[in-house]
Amino acid sequence: MKVSRSDFLKYMGKGMLALTAVRSVDLLSETKSSRSHKKHFASDSSLGHSKKIPGATFKPVRPSTVDDLILPEGFRYDVIAAYGDKINAKGDTFGFAADFNCFFPFPNDPNSALLWTNHEYLNELEYYVTGYDYQVKAPNTRTPEQIEKYLYALGGSIIGLRKSNGTWVLDPNSKYGRRITGRTEFQLKGPASGSEAMGGKTKAYGTFANCSGGGTLWSTALSCEENFDMVVNDCKLEDIREYGWIIEIDPFDPNSTPIKHTALGRFAHENAALAVSPSGKLVVYMGDDSKDQCVYKFVSAEKYDPKKGKANSELLDKGTLYVGNFEKCIWVPLDLEKNNDLKNAKDKEGKPMFSNQADVLVRCREAAKVVGGTPMDRPEDLEVHPLDGSIFVSFTNNDSHGNFYGQIVRIFEKDSNPEAENFDFEVFAAGGGKSGFSSPDNLAFDSAGGLWMVTDMTTKLLGKSIFKKFGNNGMFFLPTSRGDEGKVFQFASAPIGSELTGPWFTPDEEFLFLSVQHPGEDTKDYSRPTSSWPSKKKGDIPKPAVVVIRREN
Ligand code: FEO
Ligand code: CA
Ligand code: CA
């Protein structure tokens, strides 16, 4: 199969460099393939795979139940920011349950950078944030003060970073330090803004359940609202339609109003992976992380133009949304004008289900099912391979199908064109005892095409039953080059009760940012948490945090 890549794709997972021409690489030809690899090894980075391609350049760690972030010999981690840390002069603080990270270097200062981090949810650990006992689920007796604390702890943080003694550290007084919370004002853009389906609203208030996301070519972050219904319920919010979107934040402009892009549909968004097609259109791959929900992509109507800078954001407001049908291997347009199934769909009373495109976008799940979108096993992260443009999708698991361990699927677009309406796919790696991982979640590629994956075995089942053999959640490295695909090397083991989320390499691949989400989530007695990470002092409460990982020396 002919596959193509663009340097744009190469950099999407790493940083924000310029778009260059798309060219073809035949992956099945070892000669050509290794020639193209060499180009990417030139930087000789310490976390990447410059020397020992295609295997791991570290001695894998063993599954562990230790309450620490365990890394291979020769690597170390340092906490960048933990829950409650001050992030600006005003005294704003870092939110809870760190998830997706996106690193933004300053173009003219190699010693300064910004980091966007998602703050997803409180759940079992809410007590440490609001004082409310989550285990007493009904009735919802949160006070107004508890609700404000809850909404402040979620959303995202922009933090300032500076280089110090050879590593990145938090600048607690950065003028860019900013919180986006469950109360922040957003502009709604795209077809649903101001529509009847949205009650005429052009604004929304708050973001939460921010799971994963993506970086844009114009140096902004996309962040995905996943299990928003839980927060709407807990915080007694009025209009659930304001949530379930992909948001966009400009970290470099502290006064900017963030955006919710309605053209990308409303569902439990996990992440957003971007590609540019040979014709220059922007393509966004997305997953709806719930049992029996679908995989989507969006193709912009207009073309990406580097000269337009931040104005390229408008590409996300006009285009065609597609849902994947994996039985027929087709992308089906969720466009009322193009799709007769949508036009003809009737509700129980025989009335049209969708009167306009805003209806389709606001009730995207219903529309996806009407047109034959395939129900999948919890599509989580999707990422685009930097060398061949194939798309990797984590399907975490789906116990109602007897799929407990999950799998990573690789999608090949027809003619390697992200705009294509046909595709093929194969299972790249399956969870289970043989591979040594279960429940794949976030993915990240290094520039040599090595796949880095973190797992999300649900806390309720960690260390129990069929999951016992895997120990704590972890991070894994999987080569993707021919002959070595399917090999799995464990890179990290997470503290007790946590999952690792938001892996993001710096453009030089010397540093890996990683979140440790919800350590101690299996705690039953709040005075005796199961984890004391990151302080590791007995009696201290566990705190979610972002760490930076590097090779020692
Ligand atoms: Fe928030 Fe789908 O993990
Ligand atoms: Ca996730
Ligand atoms: Ca997950």
Side-chain angles (χ1 to χ4, degrees):
M1 171 184 283
K2 274 273 184 197
V3 287
S4 70
R5 69 161 193 93
S6 68
D7 281 334
F8 162 71
L9 293 175
K10 173 188 164 195
Y11 290 120
M12 259 338 287
K14 315 286 177 260
M16 320 296 159
L17 300 187
L19 176 76
T20 55
V22 175
R23 67 181 179 80
S24 255
V25 175
D26 191 336
L27 263 201
L28 296 181
S29 141
E30 283 302 327
T31 339
K32 275 190 182 173
S33 168
S34 40
R35 237 191 279 136
S36 100
H37 271 189
K38 276 206 188 82
K39 185 174 170 237
H40 295 284
F41 303 155
S43 64
D44 195 24
S45 66
S46 67
L47 276 165
H49 295 273
S50 45
K51 291 196 178 109
K52 293 181 190 165
I53 308 294
T57 60
F58 56 87
K59 190 176 160 215
V61 302
R62 303 179 76 80
S64 162
T65 54
V66 170
D67 186 33
D68 200 358
L69 178 60
I70 310 287
L71 299 173
E73 223 175 273
F75 288 84
R76 64 169 291 149
Y77 76 85
D78 292 287
V79 172
I80 289 281
Y83 167 63
D85 285 354
K86 180 172 165 276
I87 62 158
N88 59 23
K90 212 164 68 174
D92 276 317
T93 54
F94 200 62
F96 204 71
D99 200 315
F100 172 66
N101 293 297
C102 191
F103 178 87
F104 296 93
F106 278 95
N108 301 319
D109 181 0
N111 295 316
S112 298
L114 301 177
L115 188 75
W116 163 267
T117 301
N118 281 5
H119 301 298
E120 192 179 16
Y121 62 72
L122 302 182
N123 279 14
E124 284 83 350
L125 296 170
E126 181 180 346
Y127 183 80
Y128 297 127
V129 176
T130 73
Y132 183 78
D133 187 348
Y134 172 91
Q135 294 172 61
V136 184
K137 276 193 180 151
N140 177 355
T141 54
R142 288 176 183 85
T143 65
E145 292 73 26
Q146 283 174 325
I147 287 173
E148 289 315 308
K149 283 183 185 166
Y150 190 130
L151 292 172
Y152 183 79
L154 303 188
S157 293
I158 297 153
I159 59 174
L161 302 177
R162 57 188 166 75
K163 268 270 183 71
S164 172
N165 292 325
T167 192
W168 290 102
V169 296
L170 170 71
D171 173 0
N173 294 308
S174 169
K175 65 177 183 189
Y176 296 95
R178 181 183 179 188
R179 281 302 318 280
I180 303 289
T181 74
R183 290 294 193 198
T184 302
E185 181 181 308
F186 283 79
Q187 338 170 31
L188 287 168
K189 295 188 82 177
S193 178
S195 68
E196 208 179 318
M198 286 300 293
K201 287 182 181 181
T202 56
K203 287 179 181 176
Y205 291 88
T207 189
F208 37 74
N210 304 75
C211 192
S212 190
T216 68
L217 275 176
W218 50 95
S219 296
T220 61
L222 300 176
S223 168
C224 295
E225 297 175 347
E226 192 193 31
N227 296 312
F228 55 91
D229 41 353
M230 178 180 72
V231 183
V232 167
N233 188 47
D234 287 351
C235 296
K236 302 166 189 165
L237 298 173
E238 276 168 20
D239 192 349
I240 199 165
R241 298 172 299 184
E242 291 182 29
Y243 315 103
W245 303 106
I246 290 187
I247 67 166
E248 183 181 7
I249 309 99
D250 180 357
F252 293 100
D253 180 1
N255 298 316
S256 54
T257 304
I259 298 164
K260 298 202 179 197
H261 287 291
T262 66
L264 302 176
R266 179 172 165 272
F267 46 86
H269 279 283
E270 171 75 21
N271 91 313
L274 274 61
V276 172
S277 73
S279 81
K281 291 185 176 178
L282 190 72
V283 178
V284 187
Y285 293 97
M286 301 171 285
D288 181 352
D289 178 13
S290 290
K291 287 180 200 176
D292 305 326
Q293 294 302 336
C294 302
V295 174
Y296 296 83
K297 79 172 178 185
F298 169 84
V299 180
S300 67
E302 307 295 331
K303 293 174 184 175
Y304 172 71
D305 178 357
K307 289 199 290 294
K308 286 189 176 164
K310 307 235 173 200
N312 281 296
S313 167
E314 289 175 8
L315 293 172
L316 300 173
D317 299 324
K318 209 172 135 205
T320 305
L321 183 65
Y322 295 86
V323 63
N325 178 319
F326 282 71
E327 194 181 331
K328 296 179 180 162
C329 286
I330 51 172
W331 294 106
V332 187
L334 284 167
D335 183 322
L336 202 61
E337 292 311 310
K338 293 182 190 163
N339 194 316
N340 285 332
D341 289 342
L342 284 178
K343 267 190 205 156
N344 299 334
K346 300 273 189 297
D347 65 16
K348 281 181 201 144
E349 288 153 15
K351 293 185 193 141
M353 272 178 89
F354 309 103
S355 340
N356 50 51
Q357 188 58 17
D359 281 347
V360 172
L361 296 169
V362 173
R363 291 186 284 122
C364 199
R365 277 185 176 173
E366 289 170 59
K369 294 296 161 58
V370 164
V371 305
T374 304
M376 308 297 284
D377 291 348
R378 291 189 55 201
E380 294 228 49
D381 218 329
L382 292 96
E383 293 297 333
V384 181
H385 192 290
L387 302 182
D388 71 18
S390 59
I391 301 101
F392 285 63
V393 194
S394 283
F395 292 103
T396 292
N397 52 37
N398 191 340
D399 54 4
S400 53
H401 296 173
N403 179 0
F404 295 98
Y405 298 136
Q407 70 272 9
I408 300 170
V409 162
R410 187 176 195 170
I411 296 173
F412 302 92
E413 296 277 32
K414 182 161 191 281
D415 300 325
S416 304
N417 184 349
E419 275 185 59
E421 296 201 348
N422 297 80
F423 63 89
D424 197 1
F425 72 96
E426 64 187 24
V427 174
F428 171 74
K434 193 173 166 204
S435 57
F437 71 84
S438 177
S439 314
D441 191 339
N442 295 157
L443 305 173
F445 280 105
D446 60 45
S447 58
L451 180 64
W452 300 74
M453 175 270 288
V454 294
T455 60
D456 178 11
M457 290 177 285
T458 176
T459 311
K460 274 199 300 269
L461 297 171
L462 263 180
K464 295 191 190 98
S465 64
I466 55 169
F467 292 104
K468 195 166 181 174
K469 55 185 169 283
F470 302 106
N472 295 348
N473 276 307
M475 181 168 185
F476 296 80
F477 169 68
L478 297 89
T480 63
S481 45
R482 204 161 161 252
D484 282 282
E485 52 195 347
K487 287 186 183 165
V488 182
F489 304 88
Q490 185 163 0
F491 178 75
S493 173
I496 291 175
S498 73
E499 73 181 278
L500 303 175
T501 51
W504 190 278
F505 291 100
T506 52
D508 59 11
E509 296 183 337
E510 299 286 334
F511 300 92
L512 169 68
F513 288 89
L514 187 68
S515 297
V516 176
Q517 199 185 43
H518 58 72
E521 198 179 56
D522 49 346
T523 294
K524 294 280 175 286
D525 175 354
Y526 295 122
S527 63
R528 294 191 342 178
T530 58
S531 169
S532 57
W533 193 89
S535 84
K536 297 186 268 180
K537 288 191 197 115
K538 219 176 167 189
D540 277 5
I541 62 162
K543 288 181 183 175
V546 173
V547 303
V548 63
I549 295 172
R550 64 189 161 110
R551 279 196 197 266
E552 285 171 311
N553 312 315

